[in-house]
Amino acid sequence: MLEEKNDNLSPIENETDGNQENVLNNEIKETAETVSEEVETAPLTSVEEEVVVEISPEELADDSPMTESEHQKALNAIDDSNAEESEDETLKDRHNIPLLDYHAMSMETLVDELEKLSTVEKVMSIKEHVEEIKKEFLSKYNHFIDEKRDEFLAENPDSTEDFEYHLPLKPKFDSLYKLIKGKQNAHFKSLQNNLQANLNRRLAIVEEIKNLINPQENIKDTLKHFNELRDEWRNIGPIPRDKYNHVWNNYHFHVENFYDYLHLDREARDLDFKHNLEQKQKIIARVEELVNEEDITKAFRELQDLHRIWKEEIGPVDREHREEIWNQFSALTKQMHDKRESLFANQREKEVANLERKKAIIAEIEELAKVEVTAHSQWQGYIEKVEKLRNDFFSAGKVPSEVNEDTWAEFKTAVRNFNSHKNAFYKDIKKEQSDNLNKKLALVEKAKAMSTSEDFAATTPLMKQIQEEWKQIGHVPRKYSDKIWKEFKEACNHYFDRMKATRNEANSEEIEAFDKKKAYLDSMKDFELVGDHKTDLEAIKAHIEQWKSFGKVPFSRRHIEGKFNKILDALFEKLSLSKKEGDMMRFSNKLEQLAGSDDSRKLEGEKIFIIRKIDEIQSEIFQLENNIQFFTNAKKDNPLVKEVLKNIEKHKDELETWKDKLKQLRNLSQE
């Protein structure tokens, strides 16, 4: 490049011959006069105009003639990107940070991604990422808050309270976003302080290069000054992006103008032109390779860098090759741009397919919002379906940017309509749930009142009854459900725990009673009647009283009572008691056992059984007496008549026995 060949630009520096110097001075003078004359007399061309006025980027692009219109779009895309990155070099790193599908992420994942980005030092390189995350997070957050508001209004239709909902994730997001924006603002402020100063200095250098065409100055000093200006140009920092192309184009124009019109040191200039041509040919060769690169995005980023090198680091070439080589470069750029546009077109097709999928999801949700549902279980199924559709919507991928907001709005509307339909159903059953709540609260109070009862025989069936009632009562408002269930459960558990503890104490006594009765049974094996009716009867009664004094036995071992009753039956049979006397004595013993069981239901059951038996016997007697009427002409000694009369007497005796039992049972109840 030119700055690498300063020694060749001024070969006359080593000459000491005065005549040679005069020849050179004359050449400079003649050349300058020729240039001056041409400028004054010749019609102004676009290049000659630039000696006097600056040109715009539209009038001249890089070191080429006017670019063809079909290539301009590709060139502008690269120039715009390079202009942006030249203003702030940290933007170049944005290509190394992938732009993820933030739309498919949950709010929690979005905050995690924002937290990762907050640690990146070059904060301007993540500007697009941060704004995408912000857009998606706020969309999902606002949708979430809308749903919570709808739920609140559905559950509290008459409430005068303002709706408030605090999502812990929101303050964390706000804090991270504020942190990143603070870093970006500080960076931008620092950058802005330097951009304008750098721009002013670059414009001043352009003016100085314009003024180098002065035949009155020594060529040695002119070239030295020119190289100093070029070195300074390279070391000046970034300038505003909107000035980038214009300033660079003017700078290149005046550098070329310096070469083309001074005609100084043609050999050094030609060598520099040749070197620059070789460098640009190498770039073209590399671009030809990039055209076949599979990773189009990566290849296009490298093409941007090659454009920057072409424009900012490599000097001009001779006019003979200038247009040709530029056309080659711009044509290859157009090919790369077309491939990139094709890639974008494919992405566009995917986005359109994603849009169709999302519209289908929205349509499904809209249909679900119209279904008439009459049961809570059905609603649970539809709620699960909508939740799945929501997840499918978020994972369906990006849609075309121009319809993204509309699609999101349609989705939110569909979900809101479904929720409104659902909330209307639950609003209708809210009164029922309120009634259920009152019923369950009443059962809670009953359970608490009975939880301290000592009458376990009477209270236990009532406790079991209210537990069954609790099961039959429907749902209550969710915010009360856990609380009242806990209270009810604690009251029931308190009662049954006390009952169990009491029974455990009683069980030890019952086991002791069983052991005593078992030993007593063994002792009765040796008992013999003495033959005196009265004495034997008193002895049997004494055994019964002794047996009763031992108390109750465990329920699982009550078979021992049957063994004792069998012994009594054998003794009564030996004693030759009347059937009624024996029956009544056994019944009396049975009543004593029932009374000692503390189970009123057993006594009541025995009472019902006796009454039923009395009714049955009375019916039998009535039937027999009715049958005897058919034997009006039969004699009393008729065998058939005698049998019927005998049965009537037998049933009457049995009836008296059962009536005596009922009387004895009633007397026991009164006691």
Side-chain angles (χ1 to χ4, degrees):
M1 294 191 298
L2 181 61
E3 60 271 28
E4 296 171 345
K5 299 176 171 47
N6 287 339
D7 292 340
N8 295 328
L9 287 175
S10 302
I12 59 173
E13 289 183 38
N14 296 324
E15 297 291 339
T16 57
D17 190 337
N19 292 331
Q20 187 76 353
E21 184 175 353
N22 291 334
V23 171
L24 179 60
N25 288 336
N26 289 334
E27 183 180 356
I28 294 173
K29 182 177 180 181
E30 291 172 1
T31 301
E33 290 173 351
T34 302
V35 172
S36 176
E37 182 179 356
E38 289 176 352
V39 170
E40 291 175 0
T41 60
L44 290 176
T45 65
S46 62
V47 174
E48 289 165 337
E49 271 185 317
E50 187 56 25
V51 177
V52 182
V53 297
E54 294 182 355
I55 62 171
S56 67
E58 292 77 11
E59 295 173 305
L60 187 66
D62 204 298
D63 57 0
S64 69
M66 182 68 71
T67 56
E68 297 179 5
S69 59
E70 64 267 20
H71 293 171
Q72 196 59 48
K73 184 178 180 181
L75 297 173
N76 289 343
I78 293 178
D79 284 345
D80 291 343
S81 181
N82 283 336
E84 182 183 15
E85 292 179 0
S86 72
E87 182 182 71
D88 186 355
E89 291 187 353
T90 63
L91 294 176
K92 295 179 181 179
D93 292 328
R94 63 186 166 179
H95 300 306
N96 300 325
I97 303 175
L99 194 64
L100 305 178
D101 185 5
Y102 298 120
H103 181 69
M105 295 182 181
S106 65
M107 287 191 288
E108 291 77 7
T109 307
L110 288 171
V111 172
D112 290 341
E113 287 298 320
L114 190 65
E115 190 168 19
K116 291 178 185 177
L117 294 177
S118 68
T119 62
V120 176
E121 293 184 5
K122 298 180 180 180
V123 290
M124 299 306 291
S125 65
I126 58 172
K127 182 178 179 181
E128 184 179 4
H129 306 69
V130 171
E131 292 307 314
E132 281 295 314
I133 289 177
K134 175 189 175 184
K135 181 182 73 174
E136 293 298 340
F137 179 87
L138 291 181
S139 293
K140 290 180 171 62
Y141 173 76
N142 291 332
H143 182 50
F144 176 80
I145 292 299
D146 287 343
E147 288 187 334
K148 292 298 180 183
R149 182 183 292 106
D150 291 341
E151 289 179 10
F152 173 80
L153 294 177
E155 293 181 1
N156 306 276
D158 302 323
S159 176
T160 58
E161 298 181 28
D162 292 334
F163 169 75
E164 289 186 7
Y165 190 92
H166 299 287
L167 182 68
L169 209 58
K170 182 62 164 56
K172 183 177 181 180
F173 169 83
D174 292 339
S175 176
L176 290 170
Y177 183 77
K178 183 178 180 181
L179 173 65
I180 294 174
K181 293 302 290 184
K183 291 181 179 179
Q184 289 177 343
N185 291 336
H187 175 84
F188 182 75
K189 183 177 180 181
S190 174
L191 187 65
Q192 287 298 110
N193 292 336
N194 298 321
L195 291 177
Q196 189 60 41
N198 294 338
L199 173 63
N200 293 338
R201 183 53 194 147
R202 286 188 186 273
L203 292 175
I205 288 177
V206 171
E207 288 298 320
E208 290 189 54
I209 293 176
K210 286 169 61 176
N211 295 329
L212 286 179
I213 304 176
N214 186 351
Q216 304 301 321
E217 291 187 2
N218 182 281
I219 186 60
K220 177 180 177 181
D221 294 336
T222 299
L223 292 174
K224 181 180 179 183
H225 189 191
F226 174 75
N227 286 323
E228 288 174 349
L229 290 175
R230 285 187 52 154
D231 289 340
E232 183 180 358
W233 179 274
R234 291 182 177 279
N235 294 323
I236 294 175
I239 63 175
R241 72 181 69 176
D242 59 332
K243 306 294 184 183
Y244 175 78
N245 286 321
H246 179 70
V247 172
W248 274 104
N249 289 334
N250 278 295
Y251 170 73
H252 288 153
F253 171 81
H254 290 296
V255 169
E256 290 174 359
N257 192 55
F258 180 80
Y259 277 114
D260 292 340
Y261 288 90
L262 287 184
H263 301 288
L264 296 176
D265 199 358
R266 291 182 181 85
E267 180 181 354
R269 183 194 64 185
D270 291 343
L271 286 173
D272 197 61
F273 280 166
K274 180 181 178 182
H275 175 77
N276 293 340
L277 179 62
E278 292 172 352
Q279 296 298 311
K280 291 189 175 182
Q281 287 173 336
K282 289 180 181 178
I283 287 179
I284 289 175
R286 176 56 184 158
V287 177
E288 288 175 341
E289 295 175 358
L290 291 178
V291 169
N292 299 317
E293 175 68 44
E294 291 185 4
D295 190 341
I296 299 175
T297 302
K298 178 182 178 182
F300 197 82
R301 288 202 298 267
E302 184 174 345
L303 179 64
Q304 287 180 220
D305 291 334
L306 293 175
H307 265 265
R308 181 181 54 78
I309 293 172
W310 181 293
K311 188 171 187 176
E312 300 179 18
E313 298 183 12
I314 302 177
V317 301
D318 62 86
R319 286 186 177 274
E320 178 184 356
H321 298 94
R322 191 171 299 170
E323 182 175 356
E324 177 187 358
I325 197 168
W326 172 252
N327 287 341
Q328 291 181 25
F329 188 44
S330 61
L332 289 169
T333 298
K334 177 66 165 54
Q335 290 185 46
M336 285 292 299
H337 183 267
D338 289 345
K339 289 189 68 175
R340 186 167 178 251
E341 288 298 306
S342 177
L343 174 65
F344 289 160
N346 291 336
Q347 292 177 345
R348 174 80 177 186
E349 290 180 3
K350 292 180 180 178
E351 290 177 354
V352 171
N354 295 340
L355 175 61
E356 293 302 316
R357 173 60 183 144
K358 288 191 172 183
K359 284 188 173 296
I361 290 173
I362 292 171
E364 285 189 64
I365 297 175
E366 288 174 341
E367 287 301 316
L368 291 175
K370 300 174 184 177
V371 177
E372 291 299 325
V373 185
T374 58
H376 171 71
S377 58
Q378 286 181 285
W379 270 115
Q380 293 305 303
Y382 284 122
I383 290 170
E384 289 179 4
K385 286 183 181 179
V386 170
E387 187 61 29
K388 183 180 183 302
L389 289 171
R390 284 185 50 167
N391 294 333
D392 291 345
F393 181 89
F394 290 130
S395 60
K398 293 183 178 179
V399 300
S401 57
E402 65 271 16
V403 296
N404 183 56
E405 291 299 327
D406 291 340
T407 307
W408 175 244
E410 290 176 14
F411 171 72
K412 289 196 295 183
T413 300
V415 174
R416 183 178 293 112
N417 290 340
F418 173 81
N419 287 334
S420 297
H421 185 38
K422 176 194 68 177
N423 293 338
F425 169 82
Y426 284 106
K427 182 179 179 181
D428 291 339
I429 67 172
K430 186 172 182 180
K431 183 179 184 304
E432 179 184 348
Q433 290 188 345
S434 180
D435 293 341
N436 293 339
L437 174 63
N438 293 331
K439 292 176 182 177
K440 287 193 172 183
L441 287 173
L443 293 183
V444 169
E445 294 303 317
K446 286 184 180 180
K448 287 181 177 180
M450 291 189 293
S451 65
T452 57
S453 174
E454 298 292 341
D455 187 356
F456 297 111
T459 306
T460 299
L462 295 177
M463 268 293 194
K464 291 181 178 180
Q465 180 183 344
I466 66 172
Q467 285 180 329
E468 287 300 320
E469 289 179 18
W470 182 281
K471 294 177 183 178
Q472 299 304 318
I473 298 174
H475 294 283
V476 302
R478 185 171 51 187
K479 60 182 178 180
Y480 301 114
S481 179
D482 291 342
K483 180 176 180 294
I484 63 173
W485 166 245
K486 182 180 178 182
E487 292 180 6
F488 182 72
K489 184 179 179 181
E490 286 177 352
C492 292
N493 287 346
H494 179 69
Y495 171 78
F496 286 108
D497 288 344
R498 289 178 55 254
M499 184 184 72
K500 184 178 179 181
T502 303
R503 283 185 175 178
N504 288 339
E505 293 177 4
N507 283 344
S508 62
E509 297 177 358
E510 291 175 356
I511 291 173
E512 183 180 355
F514 173 78
D515 293 337
K516 290 179 179 180
K517 286 186 175 182
K518 183 179 179 183
Y520 195 75
L521 278 181
D522 293 337
S523 67
M524 287 189 68
K525 291 178 182 179
D526 300 328
F527 175 72
E528 295 288 343
L529 296 177
V530 297
D532 181 67
H533 182 85
K534 183 177 180 181
T535 303
D536 290 337
L537 183 59
E538 292 297 327
I540 293 173
K541 289 182 178 180
H543 283 302
I544 293 175
E545 291 299 321
Q546 182 63 39
W547 182 267
K548 290 192 293 186
S549 68
F550 294 141
K552 293 188 299 182
V553 298
F555 181 81
S556 60
R557 301 183 182 184
R558 61 182 179 174
H559 60 276
I560 198 170
E561 301 292 343
K563 291 182 178 181
F564 180 69
N565 287 332
K566 285 183 179 180
I567 294 175
L568 290 181
D569 289 342
L571 292 174
F572 286 139
E573 188 175 347
K574 290 180 181 180
L575 195 60
S576 299
L577 289 176
S578 67
K579 183 177 179 182
K580 181 177 180 181
E581 287 179 319
D583 198 10
M584 289 302 297
M585 289 190 68
R586 284 191 292 271
F587 180 71
S588 178
N589 182 50
K590 182 179 182 181
L591 284 185
E592 292 290 342
Q593 293 175 1
L594 291 177
S597 67
D598 294 330
D599 191 344
S600 59
R601 290 178 303 173
K602 291 182 179 181
L603 288 172
E604 187 65 25
E606 187 69 19
K607 179 180 179 181
I608 293 172
F609 174 75
I610 293 173
I611 292 173
R612 188 180 297 120
K613 290 296 291 184
I614 291 174
D615 290 340
E616 290 176 359
I617 295 173
Q618 285 178 336
S619 295
E620 287 287 338
I621 293 172
F622 175 78
Q623 184 65 41
L624 290 172
E625 289 178 341
N626 186 51
N627 290 341
I628 203 67
Q629 300 300 321
F630 293 103
F631 298 98
T632 54
N633 297 323
K635 296 180 180 181
K636 290 186 178 179
D637 58 351
N638 186 302
L640 187 58
V641 173
K642 290 174 65 177
E643 183 65 26
V644 172
L645 292 174
K646 182 179 178 181
N647 281 337
I648 292 174
E649 291 301 321
K650 178 181 177 182
H651 280 83
K652 287 183 177 180
D653 290 340
E654 190 176 355
L655 179 61
E656 288 300 320
T657 301
W658 284 109
K659 286 183 177 180
D660 288 343
K661 288 181 179 180
L662 180 60
K663 183 178 179 181
Q664 188 175 349
L665 178 58
R666 285 174 174 169
N667 290 336
L668 180 64
S669 300
Q670 291 176 358
E671 294 176 359

